[in-house]
Amino acid sequence: MDAISFVLGIKSSHLRSAHLRDLVYRGRVLRTSTINGDGSATKNGVNGHADDDDASVDEAAQKSTQERHDPKSAWVTAVYEDDAGDDQFWKRTITNQGVSEYRINDRVVTAQQYNEALEAENILIKARNFLVFQGDVEAIASQSPRDLTRLIEQISGSLEYKAEYERLKEAQDEALDIQNLNLHRRRGINSELKQYEEQKREAENYSKKADERDQAIVTHILWKLYHFQRVIDESNAEIQRHQEELKEHRRSIEKYEHGLDEAKKEQTKVGKEVAKIEKNIKNKEREVEAKENGLVPIAEKIDLSRKSVAKCEKRVADITKERDNHTASIKQSTKDLKVVEKAQVQWENERKKLAAQEGRELSDADIQEYNRLKIDVNKRTATNQARVDNLSHQQKADEETVNSLKSKVDTAEWQSQKLEAELGDIDERKVGVDLQIKEITKEMNTKKLAYNEQVSDRLRLSQIRTEKDEQLQEVLMKLLEAEEGRKQNEKDVRLRNTVSDMKRIFPGVKGRVSELCKPIEKRYSVAVSTVLGRNFDAVIVENEKTAVDCIQYLRDQRRGQATFIPLDTIQWTASSSNLKGTRGTRMAIDTINYDSSLERAVAYVCGNAVICDDLAIAKHVCWDKRNDVKAVTLDGSTIHKGGNMTGGQGGKQDTRRWEDAEVENLRKLKDKLLTELSKLPEPRRRATEEEQLQGELTGLEQRLLYAKEEAKALERNQRSKQKELSHAQEQLEAARPKYQEKLRELEASKRHLEELQGAVSEVQDEIFADFCQRLGYDNIRVYEAQQGSLQQEAAQKNLEFSRQKSRLQSRIKYEEQQLQESKSRIKRLEDQMHQDRALISELEAEQESTQNELDTLSAECDQLSEQLKKQKAKHTQKAEKVNEQRREVQKRSHNVEGTLRAITGLESERQLSAAGRYTLLRRCKLEDIDLPLNEGSKTLEQLPIDEVVQTDPDAMEVDEDQDSSSIQPSNIQDFGIDIDFEDLDDDLKDESDNDKTEDELQNRIKALNGELDHMAPNMRAIERVQAAKGRLATTDKDYEDARKRAAKAKDTFSKVKEKRFELFNKAFSHISEQIGPIYKDLTKDPVNLPMGGQAYLDMEDSDEPYLDGIKYHAMPPLKRFRDMEHLSGGEKTMAALALLFAVHSYQPSPFFVLDEVDAALDNANVAKIANYIRDHAGPGMQFIVISLKTGLFQGSEALVGIYRDQGANTSKALTLDVSFHPSILDYGRLTEK
């Protein structure tokens, strides 16, 4: 095989060595041979001697031994006969230098020319389509799908295009990337060019809008200054008139406030007593419900225990009857045993007497004669007698067998009938049990429905009452807290009035933070109050100007200090996104309800604060995660950004401030709840019917459980009986034919025995004729039968007595065992009954004790209810008294508040107008706004700018205690500036709709400022437009060049791809079509397996199959589909050979060399391989097979043997033509040829 592979161009790395030198044979050379230049050896002389001189021979041998060296070169020549009948000589030599030399017809050629000459004859060296090494079969059987793909690529020639395919594909991808890059660049430049052109247009409109904006600002300022001056003049006259009215109203209020405080204290005291009694009633009701619920399982346990006792008593009665029956049976069986023994003794005595009376005694001479005649008979009938004895013994054995089989048949028939009857009975019982289960289930569903309706109705009423009570209790507690927190002083009144006046005077005032923001849930009230802190009463205004005006107003009116939050200039930090989603934490701003327009102010007062459920979570957020936040817990504890902690306050002071607007709603809710509770029926104990239904349900559940267990037992018994019936029927079917066959054999044996006995009897009658006549017997057999029958009768009788005694003794023993077991069962049941009765006693005692406790609790509940009724009536009276006192105070405070509001409103308008006027003038000075002035007026440059008190952003609201009954108007300065309002339109001087005019002027200014802010012109846009156009032209040219290169690379790649696919698909289609028939021919058997096996190829990628694997599937005959690795060695070999033959059929070489491919095959598969090779061999296809299997080479046309010529140092071949050898006539299908 190495020589064939070597001469046909296979690389040395695929042979036995990696180097050509190692392929040269270095074996022993005869001493008389000489190594030639080409590596061969030549003998010296004839038969290894140069001449007949021994001395010269020794000398030559010694010289040759010293000068001998190993061969360094070798060659192999292949002789190939082409289609024209010409011989071609292909020779490959390993030279002394260790390289290959190629010759064709003795002409030196290159390796490429040598390969091309082989390929011209369709001998493909790379694909190796002309030989199969011994290991190739196993390798093909276990190769991966990608290896099979590579094999088909080698066969098809598509592998030669692989490198070019990969190179062109990479080039195509690179060209496409460059094209896309240039395309993106062009799009970017186009977008940039459009942007620069738009900026150019914006720059032209900027100057025009700026001039319009300046004129709108001047008009707006003049309009406001005009109306400020008008309000100041009108307010001075009204303030003095209201001062005198205020003093008279306040004197009548003080005496009623003291009575209101006393009434509130009494109402609070009674309310606490009501809450305490209601809490005690609720606790007692819970205890009553717990006791009632505890009675249910006790009653169920008592009922179950009583049923268990009744069941045990019934079972004891049944077992007692069984015990009495067993006792009676033992007595009767003992009596019968004694009768049998007595009868046996009596029969023995009678038998002995009868034998003495009827027995015939022979003399010694008669006995000697009988023995002599018996010997004669035996001599004459020895053969027949032996046959009779054998048949008799055989007949006895057959009779026992027949009896045994008959017994089996009878037993099987009886057992089958019995089991069928039992199965019928079980079916009837199952039907009854199923019907019982359905009835119990239906009854249970009805009972459960009724029980659930009663329970749900009771629970619903109880739940409603509980919920109403809890709501009422909660409302009362809130009212108590609210009443305590609503003791307002004069400071709170002035604060609300001040904010109300500022909201009326200054349109931009939104209100206090506490009024504009509310917690989304009640539990966040304390935490939100803590987060707001000093900003709780801060005032939110629309802009900074409004805040300055309000501060000036407070200063002028001497109404204390306040913190203002302007929406337009307030700075705030967005909340950290890291805190969102943390379990147990929420951002403070997320826990507050507020209007969206106030978001900036709310975000400012909340800051980066986070509300946590408890202190542990707050510590985790601030210290473990190191978040720079302010963490506030639900109870008001705080961890500040610096790490310090604040806590310990009750949290009620600020939370009450949320509830000012909710007190009246709470009172209405309290009245509503009291009305609803009075309409609800009083709670009652569970009705007797409900308890009865629960008991019935428990009993039905127990019955259902027993019925289901009985149904399961019947099902198991039915399956067991069915198996026994099947087994009995199988035994009957198996025993009946055997019994009938043995019965026929026995009858035939009896007939044969009778014939032999007749022949023996004739001889006996002849010999014993005189003997029998003398003694008076008809024949000798009568004598022998008489003597034998007596003994047999006695033995049979004794056997019957023994059987009866044994049966009776067994029955007595069995009954005694059953009796003992019955006593044990009765004992266990009595013990269980004793335990159940003891349990019933304990449960009844516990039930009685619980019922007594329940009665006591019910009585206590009734007493507490009476007390609650009295206290509620008392609390109602106190509440009515408080309301009466409050109405009196409110009635007399109404006039005071009205007057104060009027004075405060007028003064606020006056101060606000003055502050607004100064603020506008100050703004004009600071912003260099030119206003028209009258002659003699001071200029804006002389206006002082430090008159306004600067606001402390961290200041809390601190009101001054002052006598509000004497409010004096403050002086207003005009700073000597007189504005000329001649240029102001008459429409703007009209005061009919100031808000609308203000909005129009502000909107005009805002619109112009917005347009200017949005313009932001770029003055370098023109020159940038020109540069962008130049870059766009360059990019367009680069993109067009890249597009052309990409199209060209795609076309080149497509051609190579189509060529590679065409070559591969052509080979794959041919191999796929051939693999099925070839595998079928290799595996089919004309007699046993005419259809053969199945095999097919499956490509994983149909678009480019050479990039993925190809799976080979083979299914041997009469076997299910399995993967190749799960096939046996022979099955793998057959599948691999089928694939090899299919591959070889595509562009086949003129010959095919197989190296021991049948090593793993058995004789049957070897014969199939031989038949296939024989069928497909022909003039154009030569198979050269190396094999050690007789079944393969005995069917060949020629045998070739290779041996080593040690003298010539070369290989030699012996051939033998066996085309017509007689030994092949017995070889399968070849006999026809």
Side-chain angles (χ1 to χ4, degrees):
M1 194 64 181
D2 288 343
I4 295 174
S5 304
F6 175 76
V7 73
L8 294 179
I10 301 298
K11 293 182 179 180
S12 61
S13 59
H14 295 162
L15 301 177
R16 299 179 185 273
S17 176
H19 303 286
L20 288 176
R21 292 180 181 273
D22 297 337
L23 295 176
V24 179
Y25 179 73
R26 294 182 176 84
R28 179 177 56 84
V29 181
L30 295 179
R31 291 181 301 173
T32 57
S33 301
T34 301
I35 297 176
N36 301 322
D38 57 1
S40 62
T42 303
K43 295 182 180 180
N44 297 324
V46 181
N47 296 328
H49 296 279
D51 49 33
D52 295 335
D53 189 354
D54 294 338
S56 61
V57 170
D58 295 337
E59 183 180 355
Q62 183 177 4
K63 182 177 180 180
S64 63
T65 302
Q66 295 175 353
E67 296 179 357
R68 190 187 60 157
H69 59 277
D70 291 335
K72 296 182 179 179
S73 63
W75 54 268
V76 179
T77 300
V79 181
Y80 171 70
E81 182 181 350
D82 56 19
D83 295 338
D86 298 332
D87 291 339
Q88 295 186 22
F89 296 89
W90 296 331
K91 183 177 181 181
R92 183 181 178 184
T93 304
I94 301 176
T95 64
N96 294 331
Q97 290 77 25
V99 297
S100 293
E101 180 186 80
Y102 301 93
R103 291 176 180 268
I104 300 177
N105 297 326
D106 206 21
R107 180 173 55 86
V108 178
V109 295
T110 63
Q112 182 177 0
Q113 293 173 341
Y114 195 81
N115 292 339
E116 290 175 354
L118 293 176
E119 291 178 358
E121 299 296 335
N122 223 9
I123 301 173
L124 306 179
I125 298 175
K126 293 181 179 179
R128 294 197 301 182
N129 66 335
F130 55 88
L131 58 83
V132 179
F133 287 105
Q134 181 177 357
D136 289 352
V137 176
E138 182 179 358
I140 290 174
S142 60
Q143 66 182 352
S144 64
R146 287 191 175 273
D147 294 336
L148 182 55
T149 302
R150 182 174 179 82
L151 175 62
I152 296 178
E153 275 207 281
Q154 291 176 344
I155 295 297
S156 64
S158 64
L159 188 62
E160 298 177 359
Y161 293 90
K162 180 179 180 181
E164 186 177 4
Y165 170 90
E166 295 176 350
R167 179 180 60 80
L168 292 177
K169 181 175 177 60
E170 183 178 357
Q172 173 187 306
D173 295 340
E174 183 179 358
L176 288 175
D177 292 340
I178 295 174
Q179 177 187 351
N180 293 332
L181 177 61
N182 288 321
L183 177 61
H184 291 316
R185 288 178 57 195
R186 187 176 70 172
R187 290 176 178 173
I189 295 174
N190 278 327
S191 176
E192 186 178 353
L193 182 60
K194 291 179 181 179
Q195 181 180 0
Y196 289 152
E197 290 176 350
E198 182 67 23
Q199 291 177 356
K200 178 182 177 182
R201 288 190 295 271
E202 290 178 356
E204 296 172 352
N205 295 328
Y206 185 78
S207 299
K208 182 179 179 181
K209 294 292 181 183
D211 296 338
E212 294 179 6
R213 189 264 321 269
D214 294 340
Q215 184 60 38
I217 291 174
V218 172
T219 301
H220 179 247
I221 292 175
L222 286 175
W223 174 79
K224 295 191 74 172
L225 289 173
Y226 175 82
H227 286 284
F228 284 150
Q229 187 63 43
R230 180 182 56 80
V231 171
I232 292 172
D233 296 337
E234 294 176 354
S235 299
N236 288 332
E238 293 292 328
I239 292 175
Q240 190 62 35
R241 184 174 61 84
H242 290 294
Q243 290 286 352
E244 297 300 327
E245 297 178 359
L246 181 62
K247 295 179 181 180
E248 296 296 330
H249 293 312
R250 294 189 61 84
R251 294 190 186 100
S252 62
I253 296 177
E254 295 178 355
K255 64 179 180 179
Y256 289 100
E257 289 181 347
H258 179 72
L260 177 61
D261 293 339
E262 293 296 328
K264 286 182 179 179
K265 292 179 181 179
E266 294 177 0
Q267 182 190 13
T268 302
K269 183 177 180 181
V270 175
K272 291 181 179 179
E273 290 295 329
V274 170
K276 182 178 180 181
I277 294 173
E278 288 179 343
K279 183 176 181 182
N280 292 334
I281 291 175
K282 189 174 181 180
N283 294 333
K284 294 296 182 181
E285 289 178 349
R286 289 177 181 173
E287 292 180 7
V288 169
E289 186 176 359
K291 295 295 182 181
E292 289 177 348
N293 293 334
L295 287 174
V296 175
I298 294 175
E300 292 177 355
K301 290 180 181 179
I302 291 174
D303 185 49
L304 291 176
S305 299
R306 287 175 178 171
K307 290 181 178 179
S308 177
V309 170
K311 183 178 178 181
C312 291
E313 289 176 349
K314 182 180 178 181
R315 188 62 180 158
V316 167
D318 294 340
I319 296 174
T320 303
K321 292 180 181 179
E322 293 179 3
R323 182 193 63 185
D324 297 339
N325 293 334
H326 291 317
T327 303
S329 179
I330 290 172
K331 293 180 179 179
Q332 184 64 35
S333 298
T334 305
K335 182 178 179 182
D336 293 341
L337 179 61
K338 292 179 180 179
V339 172
V340 171
E341 292 175 347
K342 183 177 180 181
Q344 183 179 10
V345 173
Q346 184 178 358
W347 176 81
E348 286 288 345
N349 295 332
E350 291 177 355
R351 184 181 65 80
K352 291 179 180 179
K353 291 179 181 179
L354 182 61
Q357 293 174 3
E358 296 181 359
R360 296 182 181 179
E361 299 292 335
L362 296 179
S363 62
D364 294 336
D366 291 336
I367 293 174
Q368 291 179 358
E369 185 179 0
Y370 170 78
N371 292 331
R372 180 179 59 77
L373 294 175
K374 192 69 174 177
I375 292 172
D376 293 340
V377 170
N378 290 336
K379 288 180 180 180
R380 293 180 60 182
T381 62
T383 302
N384 289 336
Q385 190 65 41
R387 295 173 66 185
V388 167
D389 293 339
N390 291 335
L391 285 175
S392 297
H393 294 152
Q394 182 65 34
Q395 185 174 345
K396 290 180 180 179
D398 292 344
E399 287 177 350
E400 293 177 356
T401 302
V402 169
N403 293 333
S404 175
L405 291 174
K406 186 175 185 304
S407 176
K408 288 183 179 180
V409 171
D410 295 341
T411 302
E413 290 178 348
W414 173 80
Q415 190 173 5
S416 298
Q417 295 174 358
K418 179 182 177 183
L419 290 173
E420 289 174 354
E422 292 178 352
L423 283 173
D425 182 54
I426 290 173
D427 290 337
E428 294 178 358
R429 292 174 61 188
K430 278 186 64 179
V431 172
V433 171
D434 292 340
L435 182 60
Q436 184 182 3
I437 290 175
K438 291 180 181 178
E439 293 176 352
I440 294 173
T441 304
K442 183 177 180 181
E443 186 177 358
M444 282 182 61
N445 293 334
T446 304
K447 298 290 185 183
K448 282 183 179 179
L449 183 61
Y451 177 75
N452 290 335
E453 289 178 355
Q454 292 189 4
V455 172
S456 62
D457 185 54
R458 177 179 59 79
L459 292 178
R460 182 178 59 82
L461 292 175
S462 176
Q463 184 177 3
I464 292 174
R465 177 174 291 279
T466 302
E467 291 176 355
K468 298 298 181 183
D469 288 338
E470 291 178 353
Q471 292 177 7
L472 180 60
Q473 189 70 21
E474 184 178 356
V475 169
L476 291 174
M477 294 302 296
K478 289 181 179 178
L479 283 174
L480 291 175
E481 294 178 0
E483 292 296 336
E484 293 176 2
R486 287 178 60 85
K487 295 179 180 180
Q488 304 173 352
N489 52 27
E490 203 66 35
K491 174 182 175 181
D492 296 329
V493 175
R494 288 199 304 272
L495 177 60
R496 287 198 302 273
N497 292 336
T498 300
V499 175
S500 177
D501 292 339
M502 286 190 296
K503 289 174 67 176
R504 185 176 66 257
I505 297 171
F506 303 103
V509 177
K510 303 296 183 180
R512 289 188 299 168
V513 172
S514 59
E515 297 171 350
L516 300 174
C517 304
K518 298 292 182 182
I520 60 175
E521 295 182 18
K522 205 69 175 177
R523 64 192 183 105
Y524 292 123
S525 298
V526 176
V528 171
S529 299
T530 305
V531 170
L532 298 181
R534 62 187 181 185
N535 294 315
F536 193 90
D537 289 324
V539 181
I540 299 176
V541 296
E542 186 173 352
N543 48 47
E544 182 183 7
K545 174 185 173 301
T546 304
V548 173
D549 293 343
C550 291
I551 293 172
Q552 183 63 34
Y553 170 77
L554 293 175
R555 181 186 177 190
D556 294 342
Q557 296 294 326
R558 297 181 180 275
R559 303 186 71 169
Q561 294 181 342
T563 301
F564 294 90
I565 303 175
L567 293 174
D568 61 340
T569 60
I570 195 70
Q571 301 294 326
W572 58 282
T573 305
S575 60
S576 176
S577 60
N578 297 331
L579 301 174
K580 296 184 178 179
T582 304
R583 186 174 183 181
T585 63
R586 295 187 68 175
M587 298 302 300
I589 194 172
D590 295 335
T591 62
I592 300 175
N593 283 326
Y594 57 89
D595 188 78
S596 58
S597 62
L598 308 175
E599 183 176 2
R600 292 175 59 87
V602 177
Y604 167 75
V605 298
C606 292
N608 217 14
V610 60
I611 295 179
C612 306
D613 290 348
D614 52 41
L615 191 59
I617 297 177
K619 292 178 179 179
H620 175 70
V621 170
C622 293
W623 296 342
D624 296 343
K625 289 192 172 183
R626 300 184 181 276
N627 290 314
D628 187 17
V629 297
K630 176 183 178 181
V632 182
T633 63
L634 296 179
D635 60 0
S637 299
T638 306
I639 300 179
H640 299 274
K641 294 182 180 180
N644 56 313
M645 297 177 63
T646 303
Q649 64 182 6
K652 295 183 179 179
Q653 181 178 358
D654 289 332
T655 55
R656 294 194 193 101
R657 302 169 74 178
W658 297 114
E659 301 170 357
D660 291 342
E662 300 178 5
V663 174
E664 189 62 28
N665 294 332
L666 289 174
R667 291 195 183 96
K668 294 179 181 179
L669 180 59
K670 181 196 70 172
D671 297 337
K672 180 182 178 181
L673 291 174
L674 289 174
T675 303
E676 293 176 351
L677 282 173
S678 63
K679 293 180 180 180
L680 289 177
E682 291 295 327
R684 299 175 298 173
R685 297 180 183 177
R686 185 164 49 188
T688 308
E689 185 178 358
E690 181 179 334
E691 297 178 354
Q692 182 179 358
L693 283 174
Q694 189 173 11
E696 292 176 357
L697 278 174
T698 305
L700 289 173
E701 289 175 354
Q702 194 66 27
R703 287 176 57 195
L704 180 62
L705 179 62
Y706 292 153
K708 288 183 177 179
E709 290 179 354
E710 184 178 1
K712 290 181 181 179
L714 288 174
E715 184 69 24
R716 292 193 298 269
N717 193 12
Q718 185 182 29
R719 290 196 297 268
S720 176
K721 295 297 183 183
Q722 192 66 41
K723 291 181 181 179
E724 292 179 6
L725 178 59
S726 301
H727 180 67
Q729 290 176 349
E730 290 176 358
Q731 286 184 338
L732 180 60
E733 293 175 359
R736 182 173 289 161
K738 294 181 180 179
Y739 165 69
Q740 294 175 354
E741 182 180 359
K742 286 294 183 182
L743 184 61
R744 289 192 296 270
E745 292 178 358
L746 179 60
E747 291 175 354
S749 177
K750 286 181 177 180
R751 290 193 295 271
H752 189 197
L753 181 60
E754 289 176 358
E755 294 176 359
L756 293 175
Q757 287 177 345
V760 173
S761 298
E762 291 178 359
V763 177
Q764 288 178 345
D765 291 342
E766 179 183 353
I767 295 175
F768 283 99
D770 297 336
F771 181 80
C772 291
Q773 184 177 5
R774 180 167 55 82
L775 295 178
Y777 291 101
D778 293 339
N779 51 53
I780 193 63
R781 290 181 296 283
V782 174
Y783 167 75
E784 293 175 348
Q786 181 180 3
Q787 298 297 324
S789 62
L790 292 174
Q791 296 177 358
Q792 184 176 2
E793 181 180 358
Q796 185 67 26
K797 200 67 175 177
N798 287 326
L799 180 60
E800 290 179 359
F801 281 119
S802 299
R803 288 177 179 174
Q804 292 181 4
K805 289 163 61 178
S806 177
R807 179 175 58 81
L808 291 172
Q809 290 172 354
S810 299
R811 180 181 297 175
I812 292 170
K813 184 177 180 180
Y814 171 75
E815 294 293 343
E816 289 176 347
Q817 292 177 353
Q818 294 297 318
L819 177 62
Q820 186 63 33
E821 184 178 354
S822 298
K823 292 179 179 179
S824 300
R825 290 162 64 191
I826 291 172
K827 180 66 170 59
R828 289 196 297 270
L829 290 173
E830 289 176 348
D831 294 341
Q832 181 64 34
M833 290 167 59
H834 179 71
Q835 294 177 1
D836 292 340
R837 289 192 180 99
L839 179 60
I840 290 172
S841 300
E842 294 177 0
L843 293 174
E844 288 176 346
E846 183 179 356
Q847 186 179 33
E848 183 179 0
S849 174
T850 304
Q851 187 63 44
N852 294 334
E853 295 177 359
L854 186 59
D855 295 338
T856 303
L857 290 173
S858 299
E860 293 176 357
C861 286
D862 295 338
Q863 293 177 1
L864 290 174
S865 298
E866 292 296 329
Q867 294 178 9
L868 177 63
K869 188 175 181 181
K870 294 178 181 179
Q871 290 296 330
K872 283 186 176 180
K874 188 175 180 181
H875 183 269
T876 303
Q877 295 175 358
K878 297 296 182 183
E880 183 64 28
K881 184 177 180 181
V882 169
N883 292 332
E884 183 179 356
Q885 293 293 330
R886 182 182 290 111
R887 285 193 295 269
E888 293 293 334
V889 172
Q890 291 177 352
K891 180 179 178 181
R892 286 160 176 77
S893 299
H894 181 70
N895 296 330
V896 174
E897 292 177 357
T899 305
L900 284 174
R901 283 195 298 270
I903 295 173
T904 304
L906 291 171
E907 182 64 20
S908 298
E909 291 180 1
R910 181 173 173 271
Q911 293 294 333
L912 179 62
S913 297
R917 182 177 183 275
Y918 171 78
T919 301
L920 288 175
L921 294 175
R922 182 173 177 269
R923 175 188 172 192
C924 292
K925 177 180 179 180
L926 295 176
E927 297 180 4
D928 293 331
I929 298 175
D930 188 13
L931 293 178
L933 302 176
N934 291 322
E935 294 183 1
S937 173
K938 293 182 180 180
T939 63
L940 293 177
E941 297 295 332
Q942 296 173 333
L943 180 72
I945 61 174
D946 57 350
E947 292 296 322
V948 179
V949 178
Q950 299 297 324
T951 303
D952 183 6
D954 294 332
M956 292 295 291
E957 177 259 327
V958 179
D959 287 342
E960 299 176 358
D961 292 335
Q962 58 183 359
D963 186 6
S964 59
S965 64
S966 57
I967 300 177
Q968 299 298 326
S970 59
N971 295 325
I972 297 176
Q973 297 181 3
D974 58 5
F975 302 105
I977 297 175
D978 187 11
I979 305 297
D980 183 8
F981 298 106
E982 292 295 332
D983 295 336
L984 188 65
D985 295 339
D986 294 338
D987 295 338
L988 296 178
K989 294 179 180 180
D990 187 9
E991 59 178 341
S992 60
D993 195 355
N994 290 337
D995 293 338
K996 181 178 180 182
T997 305
E998 169 73 13
D999 292 340
E1000 290 176 354
L1001 294 174
Q1002 287 283 7
N1003 291 337
R1004 175 62 176 167
I1005 296 172
K1006 287 181 181 179
L1008 293 173
N1009 282 329
E1011 293 178 7
L1012 291 174
D1013 292 340
H1014 287 299
M1015 284 181 181
N1018 184 6
M1019 298 305 177
R1020 301 183 61 187
I1022 297 176
E1023 60 186 46
R1024 290 185 178 180
V1025 167
Q1026 298 299 327
K1029 289 182 178 179
R1031 287 189 288 113
L1032 179 62
T1034 304
T1035 304
D1036 286 339
K1037 183 177 181 301
D1038 294 341
Y1039 171 72
E1040 188 63 26
D1041 294 342
R1043 187 184 63 79
K1044 292 179 181 179
R1045 287 196 298 270
K1048 182 178 179 181
K1050 182 179 180 181
D1051 293 340
T1052 306
F1053 172 72
S1054 299
K1055 291 179 182 179
V1056 174
K1057 176 183 175 182
E1058 291 174 0
K1059 183 64 177 177
R1060 187 180 182 187
F1061 177 79
E1062 180 181 358
L1063 292 174
F1064 185 90
N1065 192 55
K1066 182 178 179 182
F1068 175 80
S1069 300
H1070 176 83
I1071 296 171
S1072 181
E1073 292 174 359
Q1074 295 296 322
I1075 188 66
I1078 292 174
Y1079 186 72
K1080 187 174 184 179
D1081 291 342
L1082 289 176
T1083 56
K1084 70 180 180 179
D1085 189 337
V1087 179
N1088 298 324
L1089 304 170
M1091 298 303 294
Q1094 296 180 5
Y1096 62 91
L1097 297 176
D1098 183 18
M1099 63 172 59
E1100 298 178 353
D1101 186 356
S1102 57
D1103 295 332
E1104 292 186 88
Y1106 39 78
L1107 298 181
D1108 215 327
I1110 293 178
K1111 294 183 179 180
Y1112 176 34
H1113 304 279
M1115 184 169 63
L1118 302 180
K1119 291 188 177 181
R1120 62 181 177 85
F1121 171 78
R1122 290 183 294 180
D1123 292 335
M1124 186 68 71
E1125 59 267 17
H1126 296 153
L1127 299 178
S1128 63
E1131 291 170 347
K1132 286 183 181 179
T1133 302
M1134 297 298 285
L1137 288 174
L1139 179 60
L1140 285 173
F1141 290 146
V1143 171
H1144 182 263
S1145 65
Y1146 180 75
Q1147 296 182 355
S1149 64
F1151 54 86
F1152 202 21
V1153 183
L1154 304 176
D1155 183 15
E1156 294 192 45
V1157 296
D1158 56 352
L1161 299 179
D1162 55 11
N1163 293 332
N1165 287 327
V1166 170
K1168 294 176 183 178
I1169 295 296
N1171 286 333
Y1172 180 85
I1173 293 174
R1174 189 77 176 183
D1175 290 343
H1176 290 78
M1181 171 54 63
Q1182 180 185 23
F1183 282 91
I1184 302 172
V1185 184
I1186 300 173
S1187 176
L1188 301 176
K1189 299 293 183 70
T1190 306
L1192 191 60
F1193 63 73
Q1194 74 179 2
S1196 62
E1197 297 179 347
L1199 299 178
V1200 180
I1202 305 299
Y1203 70 96
R1204 184 72 186 174
D1205 188 344
Q1206 200 69 29
N1209 195 28
T1210 185
S1211 300
K1212 293 294 184 68
L1214 296 177
T1215 60
L1216 177 62
D1217 187 1
V1218 293
S1219 300
F1220 303 100
H1221 197 277
S1223 62
I1224 69 171
L1225 296 179
D1226 296 331
Y1227 181 70
R1229 293 180 297 157
L1230 299 181
T1231 55
E1232 299 177 359
K1233 300 183 180 180

